[in-house]
Amino acid sequence: MPFLDLQPESFKLSLELSEDIHKLVQLLGDVLKSQDDEGLFQLAHKLVAHPGDKVTPEDFPELEDPVVFRQISRAFTVLFQLINLAEQKEIVRVNRARFPRRESIDDAVKQLKDAGVEASEVQSLLSRISITPSLTAHPTEAKRKAVLDKLHTITRSLAQNRQAELSSRLDDQNSGDEEARLQLLTLWQTDEMRARRLSVSEEIRNALYFFDRSILDVVPWLHEDLEQSLARHYPGTTLPEQPVVEFRSWVGGDRDGNPFVTPEVTWEALQSHRRLILEHYLEKASDLRREITQSIKLVHVDDALTQSLEADIRSLPYTEEQLGRYSQEPYVQKMLAVEFRLTDTINDGANAFNTADELRGELELVAASLLHNRAEDLAVGGRLRHLIRQVKAFGFHLATLDVRQHSDEHEKALSEILALAHAVPGGRRYETLTESERVELLLGELASPRPFLHPASTLSPETEKTLEVFRVICRAHQKWSLRTVRAYIMSMTRGLSDILEVLLFCREAGILRWTDNGNLICDLDIVPLFETIDDLHHAGGLMRELLSLPFYQSLLASRDGTQEIMLGY
């Protein structure tokens, strides 16, 4: 008897999808039988076969047992997860079979062409467009990484059988089924529930999982699809220098209502972002070293590459064995240099890349030489171009970390600091001032470059944490890149003072500063978040008031004249 007689083909599902569902249902049944759980097997079969509109408690007395109820629930949960995997695989198969594909990038560009949009308009649009999805932490919804890994492997095993990939064993025709069975067995014996609530550090690792599994590859593919579509419909139109798609994350930076997102955790998130992307680049550079093995006995290389390589050999720790073995393979030697420098970048060594643009320059040097010397396909496509696109989109920061805090926390901290500095006229407390009095005081203080606090000042732990967040941001900017953190978001922004308070903290940390020639520079986008109905209604007036301030106009000039706002719900 089959485990479940679902008959997906009777619902007009495709042959491929029906076969995958049958296979997965059979494998799940085999796993349940292997666990000496014939009763569970029989109960599941009985539940599916029973007319759903006539179910009574008397029909299934087994479900009165909590253990049985839990096990049968798990069985159907796993079943639904497997059917979802099969459906996702089917979506990919169907989309690949369609060309041109509706709602694809190519279809969108073609619609612009058919509508008579000129190439100059498309080029202008590309220079302005910026798509930045943001990852947020939802620990109650997230599957455990162990479960995600197993589901991912099962999906890959399904594809492996369908593609009939060659195996090292000639009789290994069902290796995909066996791998799926093993993963299903461990999935069945793995608790989907965590023993305790996720820590913020674990949330950070969960977010990085999705970068490692999909995002790092998908973003370059999107840019490649767009580039090819432009070449097809708008020859001569090019992608802008700035990536069209970049990613942000709130995980490790969103402290609104979460006391566990400390300044130390934010620094940990920034370090984790950097380490993941640098280790990814190192792995890809190593792959390229084994791929581009052209010999100077057979092809030429550009003089620029030769000169760069000579400088590398003088300064980097090549071994005699490496110099001898690869003496005729300059691309291999160059990729070794990239590996040396990436390793030093990870470990803060002497030969580290200072910026991601330096790494991209080295890779572009290789691409240019390949392009000029009869290896165009390697230069404009394949792994090298894919890596160049990744470096462009992800830099050394992976994803910009957004930092968020509730406006009430800023008010509390600033009230303590102003009292300590005796900065409120008449000895009053900041929180007792009217909104107009607060704005007047804050603008006066922002016009001055002097800091509030003496280095020896003693603050409460809560206020110290509020200030330390800004110091962490400044340290990340100075040590790595301004792309590490680009936005500071104020939850429940109600008035102008909520924005000006944050700017004072930025000044204290060195993020906001006056130059010697009197210009104002701010290294952060200050982002008000309007959430209540009243705040949303008044947001327009508040923003007009903010943007009319000469002080703020000067600040925006250092941010390319761009103001970001966020609308809540």
Side-chain angles (χ1 to χ4, degrees):
M1 180 178 68
F3 169 47
L4 296 174
D5 189 17
L6 296 184
Q7 300 181 3
E9 58 278 354
S10 66
F11 294 90
K12 298 183 180 180
L13 300 185
S14 71
L15 175 63
E16 292 83 357
L17 178 55
S18 297
E19 287 179 350
D20 284 340
I21 290 174
H22 280 303
K23 185 184 295 293
L24 290 169
V25 169
Q26 176 189 340
L27 291 173
L28 179 57
D30 291 346
V31 167
L32 294 183
K33 279 188 173 181
S34 75
Q35 301 303 292
D36 293 328
D37 211 336
E38 183 68 28
L40 185 63
F41 182 97
Q42 297 287 350
L43 177 58
H45 190 86
K46 181 181 173 184
L47 278 166
V48 171
H50 198 286
D53 58 345
K54 298 179 181 178
V55 174
T56 65
E58 291 74 22
D59 294 327
F60 301 98
E62 309 96 316
L63 297 181
E64 295 294 330
D65 184 338
V67 175
V68 173
F69 189 88
R70 182 175 183 273
Q71 287 295 83
I72 197 68
S73 298
R74 285 197 68 224
F76 279 101
T77 296
V78 172
L79 172 66
F80 297 147
Q81 288 174 339
L82 296 177
I83 291 175
N84 283 342
L85 295 182
E87 185 180 29
Q88 290 166 11
K89 178 171 171 282
E90 175 71 357
I91 290 169
V92 173
R93 184 192 69 80
V94 171
N95 279 335
R96 284 178 175 170
R98 293 173 178 166
F99 190 84
R101 195 169 76 244
R102 289 185 299 107
E103 299 182 352
S104 65
I105 289 176
D106 190 75
D107 183 50
V109 176
K110 183 177 182 298
Q111 286 188 43
L112 291 175
K113 183 70 173 179
D114 293 344
V117 178
E118 298 291 335
S120 59
E121 296 176 82
V122 172
Q123 190 69 69
S124 176
L125 173 62
L126 289 169
S127 69
R128 301 194 311 276
I129 194 169
S130 175
I131 302 168
T132 55
S134 296
L135 275 72
T136 58
H138 290 285
T140 58
E141 300 174 11
K143 292 185 179 72
R144 291 179 60 194
K145 183 177 180 297
V147 172
L148 289 170
D149 282 335
K150 290 169 179 57
L151 292 173
H152 178 80
T153 304
I154 292 169
T155 306
R156 195 173 59 213
S157 301
L158 276 180
Q160 181 180 338
N161 273 1
R162 181 71 64 187
Q163 295 166 0
E165 294 177 345
L166 290 176
S167 171
S168 58
R169 287 175 54 195
L170 297 180
D171 62 345
D172 197 10
Q173 296 179 356
N174 297 312
S175 60
D177 286 356
E178 289 305 311
E179 180 63 29
R181 194 189 317 274
L182 289 172
Q183 293 299 321
L184 259 176
L185 174 61
T186 54
L187 179 63
W188 181 252
Q189 296 179 345
T190 298
D191 193 351
E192 292 205 29
M193 303 298 291
R194 295 181 175 87
R196 57 179 176 79
R197 180 177 175 176
L198 275 178
S199 69
V200 182
S201 295
E202 288 168 326
E203 289 176 0
I204 293 167
R205 289 195 292 273
N206 272 6
L208 294 182
Y209 173 91
F210 293 101
F211 280 99
D212 193 40
R213 284 294 189 184
S214 62
I215 294 171
L216 286 177
D217 283 327
V218 169
V219 169
W221 290 342
L222 288 171
H223 285 87
E224 181 179 337
D225 285 352
L226 180 54
E227 195 169 57
Q228 291 175 351
S229 298
L230 290 171
R232 187 177 298 116
H233 302 293
Y234 288 99
T237 306
T238 59
L239 290 182
E241 182 66 20
Q242 180 72 12
V244 173
V245 179
E246 297 179 276
F247 268 77
R248 288 181 169 185
S249 176
W250 282 30
V251 188
D254 182 13
R255 55 207 358 96
D256 182 8
N258 190 344
F260 301 108
V261 183
T262 63
E264 293 77 16
V265 165
T266 297
W267 184 252
E268 176 192 343
L270 294 169
Q271 287 181 308
S272 298
H273 284 195
R274 182 176 172 85
R275 177 166 287 275
L276 185 142
I277 193 61
L278 288 173
E279 289 178 348
H280 174 83
Y281 293 156
L282 181 58
E283 178 185 346
K284 298 307 175 185
S286 180
D287 291 342
L288 279 169
R289 170 169 53 83
R290 289 185 284 270
E291 178 178 302
I292 47 179
T293 54
Q294 286 88 334
S295 170
I296 54 175
K297 293 180 180 178
L298 303 174
V299 294
H300 294 292
V301 296
D302 285 3
D303 289 343
L305 180 64
T306 301
Q307 293 169 11
S308 175
L309 188 53
E310 289 172 352
D312 290 337
I313 292 172
R314 287 194 299 269
S315 61
L316 296 174
Y318 290 91
T319 65
E320 290 297 326
E321 195 269 341
Q322 288 170 331
L323 292 174
R325 177 190 293 183
Y326 305 123
S327 61
Q328 306 300 309
E329 298 174 359
Y331 296 117
V332 173
Q333 290 184 326
K334 189 61 185 176
M335 294 314 300
L336 273 172
V338 170
E339 290 180 64
F340 290 145
R341 297 193 66 189
L342 279 170
T343 301
D344 266 17
T345 307
I346 293 171
N347 299 318
D348 288 330
N351 295 303
F353 288 109
N354 292 314
T355 65
D357 285 341
E358 280 189 25
L359 170 60
R360 185 154 64 99
E362 295 287 83
L363 299 174
E364 293 281 12
L365 201 62
V366 173
S369 182
L370 290 169
L371 180 64
H372 297 155
N373 294 283
R374 301 183 181 182
E376 181 177 352
D377 288 348
L378 287 173
V380 300
R383 294 179 182 176
L384 177 59
R385 184 54 57 185
H386 194 77
L387 179 55
I388 290 171
R389 286 191 175 99
Q390 287 177 327
V391 175
K392 192 173 181 179
F394 299 105
F396 286 170
H397 66 291
L398 181 65
T400 294
L401 187 69
D402 286 349
V403 175
R404 182 172 73 136
Q405 179 58 287
H406 197 288
S407 58
D408 287 351
E409 297 302 315
H410 301 138
E411 179 186 324
K412 292 174 191 174
L414 188 60
S415 180
E416 180 180 339
I417 292 170
L418 291 174
L420 193 64
H422 304 289
V424 182
R428 297 169 64 190
R429 295 283 299 182
Y430 175 73
E431 64 267 26
T432 67
L433 302 181
T434 65
E435 173 65 11
S436 60
E437 288 173 330
R438 292 185 185 192
V439 170
E440 181 181 1
L441 171 66
L442 295 172
L443 286 175
E445 291 297 337
L446 284 167
S448 168
R450 70 170 177 84
F452 279 129
L453 295 172
H454 186 276
S457 299
T458 301
L459 300 170
S460 68
E462 292 76 16
T463 297
E464 188 62 43
K465 279 185 180 180
T466 298
L467 271 175
E468 185 61 24
V469 171
F470 292 89
R471 296 179 189 132
V472 164
I473 295 170
C474 187
R475 190 182 352 149
H477 286 171
Q478 293 173 348
K479 183 176 175 65
W480 296 322
S481 163
L482 295 181
R483 295 176 74 183
T484 53
V485 183
R486 287 193 294 197
Y488 191 98
I489 302 160
M490 295 87 68
S491 298
M492 296 300 292
T493 299
R494 296 188 176 94
L496 201 55
S497 62
D498 293 324
I499 300 169
L500 300 179
E501 287 165 5
V502 171
L503 288 172
L504 269 180
F505 293 131
C506 288
R507 190 197 67 183
E508 287 297 303
I511 296 168
L512 174 72
R513 58 200 179 277
W514 295 93
T515 63
D516 291 339
N517 57 6
N519 293 327
L520 192 64
I521 292 177
C522 188
D523 295 329
L524 268 181
D525 288 329
I526 307 303
V527 183
L529 168 53
F530 302 105
E531 299 180 81
T532 71
I533 296 298
D534 283 345
D535 293 338
L536 287 165
H537 285 162
H538 295 122
L542 190 154
M543 292 308 300
R544 279 189 290 273
E545 184 180 2
L546 176 67
L547 297 173
S548 69
L549 296 173
F551 158 82
Y552 201 75
Q553 291 171 2
S554 178
L555 180 152
L556 277 189
S558 71
R559 307 297 301 161
D560 296 323
T562 301
Q563 172 66 51
E564 180 178 337
I565 65 170
M566 189 171 291
L567 304 181
Y569 48 89

